Amino acid sequence: MGLAAAGGLSACGGNNGRGGGSGSGTNLVQYFHAYGEAGTEQAIKRYAKAYDRANVGTQWITGANFESKLFSALLTDNAPDVFEFHPQIQLVRSGQVADLTDLVEPVKDDFNQADIASHTIDGKIWGVRMIDDPQFFYYRRSMLEEAGIEPPATLDELVEAAAKLTTDKVKGVFLGNSVTPVMNPLIWSTGADTLDEGNRIAYHTDAVAEGLGKLRSMFADGHLLLDAPADWWDPSALTQGLTAIQWCGMWAMPVIQKALGDDVGIIPFPTAAQGGRPSVTNGGWSMFVNAKSEHVDEAKEYVKWLWIDQKEYQEDWALSYGFHIPPRTSLAESAEKLKSGLAAEGVRLFNEFGHFDNPAWTQAMIVALEGVVADTVRKGGDPEAALDKADTTVNRELKKLFG
């Protein structure tokens, strides 16, 4: 699910969103980013209202900077008791999140084991996965057919397709306004990774530098859609005919199919170097308990109730407001909406080409590689120099975490 386009914190009254449930006693507050799909905010608040052992209020955080708003809030007296985010090791090492092993351990065999692995740090499980969100390319079949091209299987073919598909009204490819969403897929599709198994830099390779140059060529030649009214997580650039190929998430599939019918296909990020293979970002969102909350036990009880026990709500959250893959194997296998057509193809790409969260890849490292894209693709800088600059930040972060 994507972030909403509007900015500013969502106000829930002077009590920071506490309360609003039907329970009695303890007041808890949970933080969610503003999902773009209709009905999501109402659903989360409906689940919370159904909980009768505490009053659970919701802060629905709008804007494109959920991470910074969350991290800032966690430093204050108004920090949430429960929040959604991604598994990152610095949250554990800083004592920010509570150990949830006792919640997950009894049912961990019913979770996607890659999700369990990404949430396990120092032998303990620190979060509960809510949804898995593969990200890949959507393309307009009719536009590719009219241009006489097949869906790109290599990065070179994507560059060629972008040129052939660009007209005075349509841009060939949309990689997001910042182009940053495809940085990791570019790395993976060259055969590299962000970090190796020893938690050392693995992204700084000749193939990655060359791939950045190819992204730059699409930018410089005017074949990328830039400054779109809505960013990559929103499918409107594709559905409104502004681009022929768009990087987006599986969450948008129902809206895209409603708008375009059968005139849409999906492909992974294409192979970017000899020895590489296609890749898909297996994103998603997980629930964490603030270890510094005054109500850790009550917050854990709520997380267990909603994200472990209430499978009906978990299925509703994954499949009623866009398409997501339930992290619970039993739910994923029974999800009729994901068993055929384009949705089934999305599940196949997720399973065959997906890369899950690496908890050692922290927010500062993410920002460092976003800077590489800005310096090389948008500004035309030297890829090697940009990667060297990122290395400094990443190595500093790695030293903090691992010595």
Side-chain angles (χ1 to χ4, degrees):
M1 296 181 182
L3 288 160
L9 279 171
S10 176
C12 295
N15 63 353
N16 194 33
R18 295 189 182 276
S22 59
S24 59
T26 304
N27 291 328
L28 301 175
V29 63
Q30 57 183 353
Y31 265 35
F32 279 81
H33 83 280
Y35 290 74
E37 297 82 350
T40 48
E41 181 178 5
Q42 293 81 359
I44 285 295
K45 292 180 177 179
R46 175 165 50 85
Y47 309 153
K49 188 175 182 179
Y51 187 62
D52 63 5
R53 295 197 290 275
N55 296 305
V56 182
T58 302
Q59 279 276 18
W60 195 251
I61 309 300
T62 60
N65 295 307
F66 173 72
E67 292 85 355
S68 62
K69 292 171 183 175
L70 170 64
F71 289 171
S72 295
L74 289 172
L75 298 174
T76 72
D77 292 336
N78 289 322
D81 304 286
V82 177
F83 59 91
E84 67 168 359
F85 201 59
H86 319 289
Q88 293 192 2
I89 195 170
Q90 88 271 17
L91 292 174
V92 174
R93 297 288 166 80
S94 65
Q96 187 66 69
V97 293
D99 177 10
L100 303 186
T101 306
D102 56 327
L103 276 58
V104 181
E105 183 72 31
V107 295
K108 75 174 185 178
D109 289 344
D110 188 39
F111 274 85
N112 186 311
Q113 291 306 292
D115 282 325
I116 294 295
S118 69
H119 290 67
T120 301
I121 300 168
D122 299 332
K124 298 177 181 179
I125 302 171
W126 300 92
V128 181
R129 194 66 147 186
M130 301 183 297
I131 47 175
D132 282 321
D133 278 333
Q135 299 162 26
F136 34 63
F137 279 119
Y138 290 87
Y139 65 91
R140 295 286 297 270
R141 295 182 187 275
S142 60
M143 291 185 179
L144 269 65
E145 290 172 2
E146 186 175 343
I149 57 176
E150 296 293 323
T154 67
L155 181 55
D156 287 335
E157 290 178 5
L158 180 66
V159 173
E160 294 172 5
K164 292 180 179 179
L165 292 165
T166 296
T167 69
D168 57 345
K169 296 181 179 179
V170 178
K171 292 293 185 180
V173 177
F174 183 40
L175 303 177
N177 286 331
S178 67
V179 196
T180 56
V182 298
M183 182 65 201
N184 280 9
L186 170 66
I187 292 168
W188 297 324
S189 290
T190 66
D193 205 341
T194 51
L195 301 173
D196 64 18
E197 292 183 359
N199 290 314
R200 296 177 296 261
I201 287 173
Y203 59 80
H204 193 157
T205 68
D206 291 344
V208 170
E210 184 177 347
L212 287 165
K214 293 175 182 179
L215 297 184
R216 169 63 185 175
S217 71
M218 287 192 285
F219 179 95
D221 293 340
H223 301 152
L224 294 182
L225 176 64
L226 302 169
D227 302 320
D231 213 340
W232 68 277
W233 55 76
D234 186 304
S236 57
L238 188 79
T239 59
Q240 294 176 9
L242 303 179
T243 188
I245 301 175
Q246 176 177 344
W247 185 261
C248 195
M250 190 163 171
W251 58 79
M253 192 173 285
V255 171
I256 292 173
Q257 289 183 299
K258 182 177 181 180
L260 301 179
D262 294 332
D263 187 21
V264 61
I266 56 175
I267 55 172
F269 194 95
T271 301
Q274 187 174 1
R277 65 192 304 267
S279 68
V280 166
T281 299
N282 284 355
W285 291 92
S286 308
M287 289 309 300
F288 297 89
V289 170
N290 181 4
K292 300 177 182 180
S293 165
E294 295 179 358
H295 306 291
V296 170
D297 290 341
E298 294 89 343
K300 288 178 65 173
E301 287 180 13
Y302 173 65
V303 170
K304 178 181 183 297
W305 174 83
L306 180 52
W307 300 111
I308 300 292
D309 299 339
Q310 303 300 314
K311 294 180 77 172
E312 180 180 350
Y313 288 154
Q314 295 159 33
E315 182 176 22
D316 180 66
W317 185 239
L319 297 169
S320 296
Y321 315 97
F323 282 173
H324 315 266
I325 300 176
R328 299 289 289 271
T329 304
S330 56
L331 290 177
E333 291 178 346
S334 65
E336 293 296 329
K337 293 179 180 180
L338 303 181
K339 289 185 177 180
S340 62
L342 202 64
E345 177 66 5
V347 173
R348 183 186 73 81
L349 297 184
F350 169 85
N351 288 325
E352 187 171 345
F353 302 115
H355 292 256
F356 285 79
D357 296 306
N358 180 348
W361 192 246
T362 67
Q363 200 64 29
M365 299 176 194
I366 292 169
V367 172
L369 285 200
E370 288 176 348
V372 170
V373 175
D375 289 344
T376 60
V377 180
R378 294 189 68 93
K379 299 178 182 177
D382 174 48
E384 284 294 339
L387 290 167
D388 285 341
K389 180 180 176 182
D391 290 351
T392 301
T393 298
V394 174
N395 277 324
R396 183 173 62 245
E397 290 298 307
L398 291 171
K399 186 173 182 179
K400 289 180 187 177
L401 294 172
F402 304 107

